[in-house]
Amino acid sequence: WGDLPFVRFEGMSEVVSRLAVAGWGCGDDEYVVMYNQGVVVCRVVAEHKGQQVARFVEGWENKPFSFSGSMEPGVAALIVRCALLAGGWGEDRWSHVRVLDACAGSGTITAAASFVFNCTVFSSELRPDFASHCLANLAHLSTTTATTLITHDATSPYPPHFSDIHLVLCNPPWGVRFGNQSDSLPILSSLSRSFPDAVYCFIAPTGAIDLFLTTNTPKITALHRVLFGAVEILICRRDRS
């Protein structure tokens, strides 16, 4: 993969290798199939969205406001792409996917979903100052895709115009400066109740992910789990059995 464009982005080579090793599968019988899908995911991002991702990374690096816990933009683009594929949405349907970024922060996930993948994005952020900075960052990127941002507590029900959400993306506060593992779980649980028909993509500490999967009501079915040190990416949906 060394000649593919995405490896030049900071952190991307590690992400790709971990996705490949994890295989995006839950059992040994799925390993080879999911490994191949992981390779396809990475190549699609590189070959078909490489230029758009490059423009996103360059533009986002020059955004007016940076937060200490901001996600690297190339990583955010790959996560969004993987979540779209896991939800069964092909490229011809991206512009019809309604995405919620529930803890927007600096806006990296919102920007990736709207600028790179043309999704319609609804975002929320608890802190008004963060929300204001997020809006400034998005304006700097000049994305033309519809984006709605509100100041909102993600553990509370969302307003009616945040309805028919297809994909919920959430990187809750779990770092040293803002939030911790105990803060993540109520957010994940509330989102699963607020958007019962959505596919969820959560980035949170492993302990919070484990508790969420074992104790959440209603029950959750994990589609893919990828470990990044003490943090996991979980793609899941409510149990339909």
Side-chain angles (χ1 to χ4, degrees), residues 22-145:
W24 290 95
C26 301
D28 292 339
D29 57 334
E30 294 180 282
Y31 183 84
V32 174
V33 174
M34 299 313 297
Y35 177 90
N36 288 338
Q37 289 184 3
V39 173
V40 170
V41 168
C42 299
R43 288 188 180 278
V44 166
V45 170
E47 295 171 1
H48 298 291
K49 278 294 177 181
Q51 292 184 352
Q52 188 74 346
V53 172
R55 286 193 291 269
F56 168 51
V57 171
E58 181 179 2
W60 204 244
E61 286 177 347
N62 298 315
K63 64 186 181 297
F65 296 100
S66 295
F67 299 177
S68 61
S70 296
M71 182 180 296
E72 197 275 326
V75 174
L78 182 56
I79 289 174
V80 173
R81 171 69 192 189
C82 291
L84 288 168
L85 287 180
W89 296 292
E91 184 171 358
D92 60 330
R93 298 175 61 194
W94 288 344
S95 61
H96 302 290
V97 178
R98 292 165 62 91
V99 172
L100 170 67
D101 179 5
C103 297
S106 64
T108 308
I109 291 177
T110 292
S114 61
F115 186 81
V116 180
F117 300 103
N118 302 316
C119 299
T120 299
V121 185
F122 297 81
S123 303
S124 65
E125 170 53 48
L126 176 63
R127 293 181 48 161
D129 55 336
F130 279 24
S132 176
H133 292 167
C134 177
L135 283 173
N137 287 343
L138 294 172
H140 166 76
L141 193 63
S142 299
T143 177
T144 58
T145 308

